[in-house]
Amino acid sequence: MTIFDEPQSETQNPRLSIWMLDQMAEGLEDQAAGLACRAAGFEEEESLLTREIAERETEINRLLLRIESLRSDRDSVVEQIESLKSEANAIREQLFVCEEEAALASIGHSEFDSGMAVTNQEYRAPVTRPLNAA
């Protein structure tokens, strides 16, 4: 005779129900423990991601400061370029004026040296003959 063939007594039936309920409770507790481990894993992953975000924000802030520094340096260099160009133009203008004065002075000296005075109207008279004519 097997266990299933034996007639169950009324005293075994409540024990079986208690045992089954106890097994169900243990199963639920095991499931809850597994979920608690899973939740702890999520919390750990969240913590790691939060730390990584903070590190990246720090890196981003460092890079933003570097960009601001580069822009400031670039603006300073552009100002220097403009200043140097302005100074070069002023020097060229001064050079042009000096060359013009020197040319006029040499023309004036050569005219007086040869004894021929040229009037302003004669000096500015247009050339009527071709340049390659003798």
Side-chain angles (χ1 to χ4, degrees), residues 118-129:
V118 179
T119 65
N120 281 343
Q121 220 170 14
E122 292 174 339
Y123 180 71
R124 293 188 180 169
V127 176
T128 56
R129 63 187 166 113

Side-chain angles (χ1 to χ4, degrees), residues 22-37:
D22 187 42
Q23 291 298 313
M24 288 172 59
E26 283 184 25
L28 291 174
E29 285 176 350
D30 289 345
Q31 189 176 4
L35 291 174
C37 287

Side-chain angles (χ1 to χ4, degrees), residues 68-81:
E68 287 179 27
S69 174
L70 288 173
R71 285 179 180 163
S72 176
D73 291 345
R74 182 196 60 208
D75 291 344
S76 175
V77 168
V78 168
E79 287 176 12
Q80 287 178 341
I81 289 169

Side-chain angles (χ1 to χ4, degrees), residues 75-91:
D75 291 344
S76 175
V77 168
V78 168
E79 287 176 12
Q80 287 178 341
I81 289 169
E82 293 300 320
S83 174
L84 291 174
K85 283 182 177 181
S86 176
E87 189 176 343
N89 287 335
I91 290 172

Side-chain angles (χ1 to χ4, degrees), residues 1-14:
M1 212 177 193
T2 63
I3 296 177
F4 296 112
D5 293 339
E6 292 180 28
Q8 295 182 357
S9 67
E10 293 179 12
T11 57
Q12 285 184 341
N13 197 10

